[in-house]
């Protein structure tokens, strides 16, 4: 293998695949990035067995030569050192040559680097799952669906299935669900052309989907998703992102969400968020995060929190609309703020069926998102 | 005490004094910020006994009313909660009133906060050291002198005196010295009007001086420094910053710096820095940080590093001037990079007296700074 390649392009591809490198792996070959050179370009691959990422650098881009290929070939290079040294090379062009025993010579400007490479034959082969069912989604929509649900996953490894986001596709509706048993986030969207496809109990680690989000470019482009038996493949422009499906059955969450409400409020998202944030500051010092919401006789609501050591925070807030019974309820303000942060709508519905029943939050301009928070059972 | 005050001004003063609040203090009153209201304005004070900071908010600023004083008085408020809630209050004006038992009522827009205050009589009184010797220095110069020496202090609490920066003033020359026994940084400057003042063995914690640096405004203003027996007071525009002088005798470092050199090189600071940074990346993986510098027969120098596991980095660098004997020396590249980061001069002198003797670095445009790094004793 012998090439010269533009630093920026190589660097960008490295940044993409390096998200799949685990620093804790015990398998030496997986501490490396695999480079494969053909006459079409360079393919980089990294894997931690749960996630595998592949990024392709074409030899030419808009008729500019990106990679000059003297000799195809392949090698596996130590990821951590490779990632950092490439970023810091002095010239915009980099020469790479693999010699006997995978010794790799890299030069750029006055810098000369010799790297101990590994045999690419030892690197795991990625699964071929192209033949499976494929759906297509806008990159922005996928990123939003992840952002608006991933915060509700469980971080406890004792229930691994809850560290994932549940995917359900039926009658053209694609739905994400995440819960840690104290709160629940759901977000659905219609996907054109998927009316004939159905899948359920596809659960993908929330952490993995957050990593994927970082790779999806900001320009709104299409992402193809291939769903196989135990793997999902995301196909972006020049990046392939493989991840495994979590084992186990996701719990049925449909009965958690109440279907009728006793109290319904429409409020300004930003104003509610800021008032709860102030009460949260006090509740955090008490290490309980308990904040109280109560409807007022003269209209409006009161947000409050108190601490025997520090004092009290209290605030009245107008409501845009009020339906139903008066109410007083306590909840984890951190959970509430997490929801308010991902609601992009200016107004939201907050609904209750009683002081011991789940609190529902829903953006006013999007009935396909629904958030549930369990209240605290307090004595006053 | 009863006032209304502009949020921005209160917030700025809080940010200054909050640097003196320790989260680990066992003295309850020191977890608070003291507010003292007179008809002239509001004084905030915080202290962790090592550092005390006082910030004054005048009632009027450029004929704008900043504080409206209904009733003077004072109170101590819980720092952490106070700092954060003030930042997040909804209106630009804040009302504060202290009632019975130091209960403090704060309101801003729709938000009402009740805080459990403490008795200001319990708060330690700051020492009166105004009568002592005072020197005056430009804020920018003081910040630079701190930045260019503080990185060389020891972080080991076993030799507390070396966690400080040594100050020496004699014949109008003000000099900072810091060392952790492996490296040494010195920076001196002339201070007008100090010809008659002499002090030595004034040692101030490097950490404290770094905190002070953050408070000194970017507009170049004068800082008065009052030096008493065991305390130093920095007087900025509206901030008083007190710190104690470290106990003990600072070691004599004068003999560490060689007076004659066998090899002298003038090099480009940026190019040397980048080349060492690349070699450092490899040496860091070996956990030794060892990088080698050697003069080349054909002129110039070579920077290199090698690792049995990963490979080699090698780079030739031109020198602007070369005097003396050929040389080959190994050093801790992290220490060298720390020095190169604070040298603002485009070119620097790097001088040697042998492969076992200290390496000297000195900015070309500033003979008042000198940096020493001890070499590694390696076999090759």
């Amino acid at each position: 293998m012998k090439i010269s390649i533009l630093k920026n392009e190589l660097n960008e591809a490295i940044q993409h695949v390096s998200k799949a490198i685990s620093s804790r792996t015990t398998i030496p070959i997986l501490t490396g990035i695999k480079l494969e050179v053909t006459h079409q370009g360079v393919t980089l691959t990294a894997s931690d067995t749960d996630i595998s990422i592949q990024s392709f650098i074409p030899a030419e881009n808009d008729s500019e030569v990106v990679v000059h290929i003297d000799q195809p070939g392949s090698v596996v290079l130590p990821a951590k050192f490779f990632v950092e040294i490439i970023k810091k090379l002095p010239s915009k062009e980099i020469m790479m040559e693999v010699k006997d025993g995978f010794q790799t010579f890299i030069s750029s400007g006055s810098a000369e680097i010799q790297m101990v490479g590994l045999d690419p034959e030892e690197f795991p082969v990625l699964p071929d799952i192209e033949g499976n069912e494929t759906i297509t989604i806008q990159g922005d929509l996928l990123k939003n669906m992840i952002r608006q649900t991933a915060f509700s996953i469980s971080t406890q490894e004792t229930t691994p299935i809850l560290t994932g986001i549940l995917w359900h596709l039926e009658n053209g509706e694609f739905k994400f669900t995440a819960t840690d048993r104290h709160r629940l986030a759901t977000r659905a969207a219609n996907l054109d052309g998927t009316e004939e496809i159905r899948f359920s109990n596809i659960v993908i680690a929330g952490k993995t989907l957050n990593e994927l989000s970082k790779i999806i470019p900001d320009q709104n482009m299409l992402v193809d998703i291939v769903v196989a038996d135990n793997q999902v493949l995301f196909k972006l422009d020049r990046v392939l992102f493989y991840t495994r499906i979590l084992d186990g059955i996701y719990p049925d969450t449909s009965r958690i969400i109440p279907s009728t409400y006793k109290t319904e409020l429409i409020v300004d998202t930003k104003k509610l968020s800021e008032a709860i944030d102030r009460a949260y500051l006090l509740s955090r010092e008490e290490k309980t995060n308990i904040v109280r919401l109560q409807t007022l006789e003269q209209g409006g609501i009161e947000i409050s929190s108190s601490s025997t050591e520090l004092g009290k925070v209290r605030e009245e807030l107008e409501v845009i609309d009020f339906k139903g019974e008066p109410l007083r309820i306590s909840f984890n303000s951190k959970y509430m703020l997490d929801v308010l942060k991902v609601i992009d709508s200016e107004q939201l519905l907050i609904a209750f069926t009683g002081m011991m029943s789940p609190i529902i939050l829903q953006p006013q301009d999007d009935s396909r998102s629904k958030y549930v928070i369990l209240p605290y059972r307090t004595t006053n």
Side-chain angles (χ1 to χ4, degrees), chain A residues 203-358:
Chain A
V203 185
I204 299 170
K207 238 168 56 186
T208 299
L209 290 173
N210 279 331
E211 289 300 330
L212 172 72
S213 260
K214 292 179 200 157
I215 293 184
I216 299 174
D218 282 334
Q219 313 86 293
N220 195 10
M221 47 171 267
L222 294 174
V223 178
D224 285 341
I225 306 177
V226 185
V227 180
D229 275 353
N230 56 0
Q231 295 250 7
V232 171
L233 163 60
F234 299 86
K235 294 167 79 175
L236 291 97
D237 185 17
R238 285 178 196 160
V239 177
L240 300 181
F241 188 107
Y242 295 80
T243 179
R244 71 180 184 92
I245 294 171
L246 295 186
D247 295 329
I249 304 294
Y250 202 84
D252 178 16
T253 58
S254 61
R255 277 166 311 170
I256 294 174
I257 307 177
S259 48
T260 55
Y261 307 135
K262 287 193 185 155
T263 309
E264 287 177 56
L265 308 169
I266 309 285
V267 291
D268 184 286
T269 309
K270 188 157 172 278
K271 282 185 186 156
L272 179 67
S273 180
E274 288 176 354
I276 291 179
D277 195 20
R278 286 186 277 267
Y280 160 70
L281 286 181
L282 186 74
S283 69
R284 188 180 57 178
E285 295 295 311
E286 286 279 285
K287 308 233 183 338
T288 61
N289 291 347
I290 297 180
V291 164
R292 205 167 33 230
L293 181 154
Q294 92 183 84
T295 54
L296 299 172
E297 260 182 59
Q298 68 272 30
I301 54 173
E302 182 191 272
I303 303 292
S304 65
S305 180
S306 63
S307 143
T308 40
E309 257 183 64
L310 289 172
K312 280 180 203 157
V313 173
R314 193 196 155 272
E315 193 157 348
E316 286 181 25
L317 216 70
E318 287 171 27
V319 297
I320 296 154
D321 193 31
F322 180 111
K323 255 189 275 184
E325 304 170 7
L327 175 109
R328 178 185 177 129
I329 198 164
S330 296
F331 51 85
N332 183 324
S333 52
K334 178 69 173 55
Y335 287 178
M336 185 69 86
L337 288 173
D338 284 347
V339 172
L340 293 169
K341 241 179 266 168
V342 302
I343 291 185
D344 301 328
S345 168
E346 276 183 33
Q347 298 179 0
L348 66 94
L349 165 73
I350 173 163
F352 313 87
T353 46
M355 66 180 285
M356 297 301 193
S357 302

Side-chain angles (χ1 to χ4, degrees), chain A residues 7-35:
Chain A
K7 183 171 106 169
N8 285 348
E9 269 72 5
L10 178 58
N11 207 17
E12 202 190 343
I14 288 175
Q15 296 311 317
H16 287 154
V17 302
S18 64
K19 295 195 169 52
I21 294 158
S22 159
S23 53
R24 289 168 303 155
T25 182
T26 52
I27 308 165
I29 196 80
L30 295 185
T31 62
I33 293 176
K34 182 176 158 192
L35 282 87

Side-chain angles (χ1 to χ4, degrees), chain A residues 42 64 70-71 76 78 98 114 127 163 174-175 201 205 255 285 344 349 352:
Chain A
V42 183
E64 183 196 25
D70 275 325
Q71 203 189 318
V76 173
V98 180
Q114 188 181 334
T163 64
F174 192 35
K175 186 174 172 187
N201 205 54
R255 277 166 311 170
E285 295 295 311
D344 301 328
L349 165 73
F352 313 87

